[in-house]
Coordinates of all heavy atoms in Angstrom, one line a residue:
A79 N 9.6 -7.8 -6.3 CA 10.4 -9.0 -6.2 C 9.6 -10.2 -5.7 O 9.8 -11.3 -6.2 CB 11.6 -8.8 -5.2
G80 N 8.7 -10.0 -4.7 CA 7.9 -11.1 -4.2 C 6.9 -11.5 -5.3 O 6.7 -12.8 -5.5
F81 N 6.3 -10.6 -6.0 CA 5.4 -11.0 -7.1 C 6.1 -11.8 -8.2 O 5.5 -12.8 -8.7 CB 4.7 -9.7 -7.7 CG 3.4 -9.4 -7.2 CD1 3.3 -8.5 -6.1 CD2 2.2 -10.0 -7.7 CE1 2.0 -8.2 -5.6 CE2 1.0 -9.7 -7.1 CZ 0.9 -8.8 -6.1
R82 N 7.3 -11.4 -8.5 CA 8.0 -12.1 -9.6 C 8.3 -13.6 -9.1 O 8.2 -14.5 -9.9 CB 9.3 -11.4 -9.9 CG 9.1 -10.2 -10.8 CD 10.5 -9.6 -11.3 NE 11.3 -9.1 -10.2 CZ 11.3 -7.8 -9.8 NH1 10.5 -7.0 -10.4 NH2 12.1 -7.4 -8.9
R83 N 8.7 -13.7 -7.9 CA 8.9 -15.1 -7.3 C 7.7 -15.9 -7.3 O 7.7 -17.1 -7.8 CB 9.5 -15.0 -5.9 CG 9.6 -16.3 -5.1 CD 10.7 -17.2 -5.6 NE 12.0 -16.6 -5.4 CZ 12.7 -16.8 -4.3 NH1 12.2 -17.4 -3.3 NH2 13.9 -16.2 -4.2
L84 N 6.6 -15.4 -6.9 CA 5.3 -16.1 -6.8 C 4.7 -16.3 -8.2 O 4.0 -17.4 -8.4 CB 4.3 -15.3 -5.9 CG 4.8 -15.2 -4.4 CD1 3.8 -14.3 -3.6 CD2 4.8 -16.6 -3.8
Q85 N 5.0 -15.4 -9.1 CA 4.5 -15.6 -10.5 C 5.1 -16.9 -11.1 O 4.4 -17.6 -11.8 CB 4.7 -14.4 -11.3 CG 4.1 -14.5 -12.7 CD 4.5 -13.2 -13.5 OE1 5.6 -12.7 -13.4 NE2 3.5 -12.7 -14.3
T86 N 6.4 -17.1 -10.8 CA 7.1 -18.3 -11.4 C 6.5 -19.6 -10.8 O 6.7 -20.6 -11.3 CB 8.6 -18.2 -11.1 OG1 8.8 -18.2 -9.7 CG2 9.2 -16.9 -11.7
Q87 N 5.9 -19.4 -9.6 CA 5.3 -20.6 -8.9 C 3.8 -20.8 -9.3 O 3.1 -21.6 -8.7 CB 5.5 -20.5 -7.4 CG 7.0 -20.4 -7.0 CD 7.2 -20.1 -5.5 OE1 6.2 -19.9 -4.8 NE2 8.4 -20.1 -5.1
S88 N 3.4 -20.0 -10.3 CA 2.0 -20.2 -10.9 C 0.9 -19.9 -9.9 O -0.2 -20.4 -10.1 CB 1.9 -21.7 -11.4 OG 2.8 -21.9 -12.4
Y89 N 1.1 -18.9 -9.0 CA 0.0 -18.4 -8.2 C -0.9 -17.4 -9.0 O -0.3 -16.7 -9.8 CB 0.5 -17.8 -6.9 CG 1.0 -18.8 -5.9 CD1 2.4 -18.9 -5.8 CD2 0.2 -19.5 -5.2 CE1 2.9 -19.8 -4.9 CE2 0.7 -20.5 -4.3 CZ 2.0 -20.6 -4.1 OH 2.5 -21.5 -3.2
D90 N -2.2 -17.5 -8.8 CA -3.1 -16.6 -9.5 C -3.4 -15.3 -8.8 O -3.6 -14.3 -9.4 CB -4.4 -17.3 -9.8 CG -4.3 -18.6 -10.6 OD1 -3.8 -18.5 -11.7 OD2 -4.6 -19.7 -10.1
W91 N -3.3 -15.4 -7.4 CA -3.6 -14.2 -6.6 C -2.5 -14.1 -5.5 O -2.0 -15.2 -5.0 CB -5.0 -14.4 -5.9 CG -6.2 -14.4 -6.8 CD1 -6.7 -15.4 -7.5 CD2 -7.0 -13.2 -7.1 NE1 -7.8 -15.0 -8.2 CE2 -8.0 -13.7 -7.9 CE3 -7.0 -11.9 -6.6 CZ2 -9.0 -12.8 -8.4 CZ3 -8.0 -11.1 -7.1 CH2 -9.0 -11.5 -8.0
V92 N -2.2 -12.9 -5.1 CA -1.3 -12.7 -4.0 C -1.9 -11.7 -3.0 O -2.4 -10.7 -3.4 CB 0.0 -12.0 -4.6 CG1 0.9 -11.6 -3.4 CG2 0.8 -13.0 -5.5
L93 N -1.9 -12.2 -1.8 CA -2.4 -11.4 -0.7 C -1.2 -10.6 -0.1 O -0.3 -11.1 0.4 CB -3.0 -12.2 0.4 CG -3.5 -11.5 1.7 CD1 -4.7 -10.6 1.4 CD2 -3.9 -12.5 2.8
L94 N -1.3 -9.2 -0.3 CA -0.2 -8.4 0.2 C -0.5 -8.0 1.7 O -1.6 -7.6 2.0 CB -0.2 -7.1 -0.6 CG 0.8 -7.0 -1.8 CD1 0.8 -5.6 -2.5 CD2 2.2 -7.5 -1.5
L95 N 0.6 -8.0 2.5 CA 0.4 -7.7 3.9 C 1.7 -6.9 4.4 O 2.8 -7.2 3.9 CB 0.3 -9.0 4.7 CG -1.0 -9.8 4.6 CD1 -0.8 -11.1 5.3 CD2 -2.2 -9.0 5.1
D96 N 1.4 -5.9 5.2 CA 2.5 -5.3 5.9 C 2.9 -6.2 7.1 O 2.2 -7.1 7.5 CB 2.1 -3.9 6.5 CG 1.9 -2.9 5.4 OD1 2.4 -3.2 4.2 OD2 1.4 -1.8 5.6
Q97 N 4.1 -5.9 7.6 CA 4.6 -6.8 8.7 C 3.8 -6.7 10.0 O 3.8 -7.6 10.8 CB 6.1 -6.4 9.0 CG 6.3 -5.0 9.5 CD 7.7 -4.6 9.5 OE1 8.6 -5.1 8.8 NE2 8.0 -3.6 10.4
D98 N 3.1 -5.6 10.2 CA 2.3 -5.4 11.4 C 0.8 -5.6 11.2 O 0.0 -5.2 12.1 CB 2.6 -4.0 12.0 CG 2.4 -2.9 11.0 OD1 2.0 -3.2 9.9 OD2 2.8 -1.8 11.4

Side-chain angles (χ1 to χ4, degrees):
F81 264 95
R82 286 191 291 269
R83 168 72 65 86
L84 295 171
Q85 186 180 39
T86 64
Q87 298 174 358
S88 301
Y89 287 104
D90 301 298
W91 294 81
V92 172
L93 176 65
L94 268 185
L95 294 170
D96 288 349
Q97 62 191 23
D98 52 7

